Amino acid sequence: MDLRTVSWRNVVLCGALVPAVTACGGSTPSASNSAKLGNLTPAGIQYEAHIAAGGRPPVGGVLVNSQGHEAAVAKAGESLFVAMNCDGCHGGGGAGWIAPSLADGRWRYGGADQEIFSSIFYGRPKGMPAFGGVLGPEGVWNLVAYLKSMPIPPNEPTESWE
């Protein structure tokens, strides 16, 4: 590499990265996140809606709802739902507004606990932000408990065109 072609931006970038890596003890971000969150955030999970070739699903992580589905946990999740402005997109009580309903029992990305966790924690394309960095695993599990505690309405608010 010819030193005459190195731009000042590269020098500044390298100067900023070296102290940052040194301050972290040389660990990678994924290693530090794994140590902090334990087995709560695996790289991928098995979804109930996945179809496995040959009937053998690939090995995936297992998310376990550490908070449970008790009424107190669901109440804490309801408070978070309002505090984090989830109702700003999903409507009051999760009934749907500019974002899909969370109270009708229909889930685009799966309705199992770990699938809902993954949607909230990591977000989804085209509008759903990742809340895992703000709420942490415990807060997200509280939201899962709240969403799962909602009774499914007896009549569906939309029609089938089939």
Side-chain angles (χ1 to χ4, degrees):
M1 177 176 178
D2 184 3
L3 291 179
R4 291 175 288 175
T5 61
V6 175
S7 73
W8 63 271
R9 288 184 188 122
N10 292 341
V11 173
V12 171
L13 179 62
C14 288
L17 287 177
V18 171
V21 171
T22 306
C24 293
S27 65
T28 63
S30 60
S32 63
N33 287 343
S34 297
K36 187 175 7 172
L37 299 177
N39 290 333
L40 296 175
T41 56
I45 63 171
Q46 295 179 10
Y47 288 88
E48 62 186 24
H50 281 170
I51 299 171
R56 297 184 62 192
V59 177
V62 177
L63 287 172
V64 178
N65 186 342
S66 60
Q67 301 296 91
H69 289 274
E70 290 79 30
V73 176
K75 187 69 175 164
E78 182 178 17
S79 297
L80 276 176
F81 191 83
V82 173
M84 296 307 298
N85 199 29
C86 303
D87 56 353
C89 293
H90 292 284
W97 189 49
I98 59 172
S101 171
L102 301 174
D104 63 4
R106 295 178 291 173
W107 299 94
R108 180 174 293 157
Y109 296 102
D113 284 6
Q114 65 270 20
E115 294 167 338
I116 297 170
F117 177 93
S118 185
S119 292
I120 299 168
F121 195 88
Y122 295 111
R124 293 293 177 183
K126 299 181 182 168
M128 176 64 186
F131 284 93
V134 176
L135 297 175
E138 294 81 16
V140 174
W141 283 124
N142 288 346
L143 282 170
V144 170
Y146 168 60
L147 297 175
K148 296 292 276 203
S149 74
M150 290 188 212
I152 297 173
N155 58 347
E156 294 189 26
T158 57
E159 294 182 23
S160 172
W161 292 96
E162 295 179 21

